[in-house]
Amino acid sequence: MFLALPSMFLLSSCLHARPARVPAPAAMALADTLPMQPDASLDVSEAVRVMCTGLEFNGFPHADAGVERLFHWMTPQGRVKLAPPPPRHGTQTGVELDYFLEHAGGAALDYFLEH
């Protein structure tokens, strides 16, 4: 028993290490069918599933598709919160899609994109 008391670093690394996940073809196909725009026929739980699945498979059907979907489903105020633009004439204006894709961030969004 040469490793009876592992260091905290080793223990922490082992507990948090996860193999790289490759989306299954079925999951990629599902991500490809998710609506990019809000759909009034979806109930709340289905809308949440669409957003979470879209962020989980952000690269399908194209790069940043999940973040783009998030942009379309958010209010203008929510977009500004995730990707604050520099003030113009003392006020914050709306956020365009290209700016949002480049600057959106935050702990919550990072969590979805990393898991």
Side-chain angles (χ1 to χ4, degrees):
M1 293 190 65
F2 70 98
L3 194 56
L5 297 172
S7 70
M8 288 305 291
F9 175 76
L10 179 61
L11 181 60
S12 175
S13 297
C14 291
L15 290 175
H16 296 295
R18 294 188 311 168
R21 201 174 97 190
V22 178
M28 290 187 290
L30 172 64
D32 195 20
T33 64
L34 297 173
M36 291 298 286
Q37 303 285 333
D39 184 345
S41 68
L42 298 176
D43 64 14
V44 174
S45 64
E46 190 65 14
V48 169
R49 186 194 63 78
V50 166
M51 295 308 311
C52 292
T53 303
L55 289 172
E56 181 178 2
F57 300 103
N58 185 46
F60 300 98
H62 60 274
D64 288 330
V67 177
E68 181 179 340
R69 182 177 295 106
L70 178 65
F71 173 87
H72 291 300
W73 287 57
M74 292 182 79
T75 64
Q77 298 84 357
R79 295 173 187 159
V80 168
K81 290 287 187 186
L82 277 181
R88 292 185 191 152
H89 307 292
T91 62
Q92 282 187 315
T93 59
V95 176
E96 299 295 324
L97 177 59
D98 291 337
Y99 185 88
F100 187 82
L101 289 173
E102 188 173 329
H103 294 92
L109 182 58
D110 291 344
Y111 176 82
F112 279 105
L113 295 176
E114 292 174 5
H115 289 89

